[in-house]
DNA sequence: ACCTGAACACCGTTCAAGT
DNA sequence: ACCTGAACACCGTTCAAGT
């Protein structure tokens, strides 16, 4: 196994050696990752720096590099085990319902961990504890008659819908916090655009309201219907 | 109009005044934005810094702040007018076909401008020249019997599918470039997981191949079918 | 083996001063 | 009005040295 720390336990190759020989270390990876995780949770990825983590751990920045390869590895390590902190929901037996329930659960879970979404866009999934959701989605697709290839593709598409919603939901929340921040849309549409952009001009006033009304469950339901519809014409 | 530079022409409030009084400026926003755009295109957002732009423009970092409010505004300005650089495609008359064509065009266009995708995730759309695509998508949805509210939601879902694909396609390309880089998935699935994750274990060997086979057009087609299916049960 | 300190090559932005 | 220089408060990481 080339990457032992991708498993549930956060243990680097360096730490694995420490029990055998040499001076015992004052700090360990779990402490570092724990502190990092707290900073991420409270202030987001932008606030996470090696120097900041070092200060809160109580060492010099360079001491961290004995436990993690670089900042990127630290970021990946923060993801391990996050899925296990969320209880696994009861799933309905009907595969179509199951698919929707898992997808919505995935979205709801990540909506409560905004920093995980930010970190995920930098690398790929490193938390084995999250794979049961991928498995359930693929299994349900197969149960609904999709080929394995179609099922994997369907999983990706569902993930894109979940991820996209989270990203722009967060961007909107961030912009709402900044007090005077320039909003671009739909303020940039004026009466003069009514000819070129009739629907948008007509909807401009209701745009914010309609954006707020966007319901992921409804959308995922429709997307799943479309994806499962592929079964009849392979 | 509060934000004149959100229009096609890149002209800031500062520059708008310059023709009237005071010392003529040695540099103008268009030069700054042009240089920024080139750096973004060639090296991505990570390479863009105010200091770097200043050096390439031939001034001090602080001179830039007379033309743009901050780095964020510069980033937003780089988007203006990008849509106009791509020829508008012929669209089929059938609204369902039209919807698919516009969506795929959106994806294809952005696939050729990776940095635009990176910048878009930081703020919202600032290029009025891109709005015709949103208009066409909404118009087609309405033509297929969706309510305006459903059409706006459908647009967002399509955008999430396009955006999500681009983000992870780029992340994959980045990781492929780094030589020895740790890959996490599906290497982390072993024989031992076959019981918990039967489908994934079975597909592990084909995972990369299946990921490469992912076809956005096919997926968008299925998603659109699902979204338009909402028309019959409102 | 583990940690430290100094150093390198960067950041965005403020502020006071120059022309 | 436009630009400069110095300064502030940061970055990630390398490298040589200490215990």
């Amino acid at each position: 196994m080339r990457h032992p720390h991708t498993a549930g336990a956060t243990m680097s190759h360096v730490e694995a050696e420490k029990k055998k020989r040499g001076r015992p270390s004052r700090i360990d990876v779990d402490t570092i990752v724990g502190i990092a995780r707290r900073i991420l949770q409270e202030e987001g990825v932008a606030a996470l720096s090696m120097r900041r983590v070092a200060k809160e751990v109580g060492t010099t920045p360079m001491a961290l590099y004995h436990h993690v390869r670089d900042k990127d590895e630290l970021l990946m390590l923060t993801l391990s085990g996050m899925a296990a902190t969320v209880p696994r929901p009861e799933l309905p037996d009907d595969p179509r319902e199951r698919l929707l329930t898992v997808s919505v659960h995935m979205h709801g879970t990540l909506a409560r961990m905004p920093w995980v979404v930010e970190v995920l866009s930098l690398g790929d999934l490193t938390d084995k504890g999250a794979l049961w959701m991928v498995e359930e989605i693929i299994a349900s697709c197969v149960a609904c008659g999709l080929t394995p290839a179609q099922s994997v593709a369907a999983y990706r598409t569902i993930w894109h819908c979940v991820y996209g919603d989270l990203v722009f939901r967060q961007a909107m929340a961030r912009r709402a916090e900044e007090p005077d921040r320039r909003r671009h849309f739909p303020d940039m549409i004026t009466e003069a655009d009514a000819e070129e952009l009739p629907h948008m001009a007509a909807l401009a006033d209701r745009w914010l309201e309609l954006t707020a009304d966007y319901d992921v469950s409804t959308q995922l339901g429709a997307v799943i219907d479309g994806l499962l519809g592929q079964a009849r014409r392979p």
Side-chain angles (χ1 to χ4, degrees), chain A:
Chain A
M1 189 148 68
R2 272 167 62 223
H3 306 291
H5 49 264
T6 57
T10 33
M11 180 181 262
S12 81
H13 51 291
V14 180
E15 206 207 8
E17 304 279 301
K18 111 180 162 193
K19 263 128 202 162
K20 294 175 197 156
R21 50 185 166 281
R23 183 209 271 194
S25 60
R26 297 204 302 102
I27 53 178
D28 64 336
V29 229
D30 291 330
T31 320
I32 296 171
V33 172
I35 300 269
R37 205 129 52 186
R38 188 174 50 67
I39 295 171
L40 287 168
Q41 192 125 26
E42 289 170 4
E43 301 173 55
V45 266
L48 191 96
S49 71
M50 296 301 273
R51 294 173 120 104
R52 169 82 184 275
V53 173
K55 193 186 288 179
E56 303 218 5
V57 170
T59 31
T60 57
M62 285 319 299
L64 303 179
Y65 287 85
H66 265 268
H67 304 273
V68 296
R69 183 209 286 245
D70 54 18
K71 191 185 175 179
D72 223 69
E73 181 172 276
L74 176 54
L75 242 11
M76 292 301 112
L77 287 173
T78 58
L79 295 180
S80 321
M82 284 308 293
T85 65
V86 179
R88 217 158 134 167
E90 289 261 351
L91 296 179
D93 287 329
D94 175 63
R96 196 261 173 203
E97 286 301 316
R98 208 173 171 86
L99 198 42
L100 183 58
T101 306
V102 177
S103 305
V104 171
H105 173 77
M106 213 167 176
H107 178 273
T109 301
L110 289 170
R112 242 145 262 140
M113 316 174 170
W115 63 271
V116 174
V117 178
E118 292 183 274
V119 177
L120 275 172
S121 59
L122 304 173
D124 46 6
L125 201 55
T126 55
D127 187 5
K128 222 173 170 179
L131 291 187
W132 68 266
M133 292 185 274
V134 185
E135 174 70 21
E136 284 292 355
I137 289 175
I138 293 174
S140 302
C141 286
V142 170
C144 287
L146 294 197
T147 65
Q150 284 177 324
S151 301
V152 172
Y155 157 68
R156 280 178 69 86
T157 297
I158 289 171
W159 168 239
H160 294 161
C161 290
V162 168
Y163 175 80
D165 176 79
L166 291 165
V167 166
F168 293 103
R169 208 176 275 277
Q170 282 182 32
M172 226 168 64
R174 251 197 313 274
R175 245 170 301 132
E177 275 176 23
E178 300 174 53
D180 70 305
R181 216 51 177 182
R182 43 228 156 192
R183 18 182 56 279
H184 296 291
F185 196 73
D187 295 10
M188 66 207 268
I189 299 175
T190 63
E191 301 284 319
D193 302 308
E195 201 169 340
E196 280 261 357
L197 310 165
H199 291 88
M200 300 198 70
L203 291 168
D205 294 335
R206 294 173 60 205
W207 197 268
L208 259 88
E209 174 204 337
L210 291 176
T211 301
D213 286 354
Y214 185 88
D215 178 51
V216 211
S217 315
T218 310
Q219 296 309 110
L220 280 171
V223 167
I224 287 167
D225 285 341
L227 292 169
L228 295 183
Q230 293 174 307
R232 269 152 296 176
R233 32 170 174 68

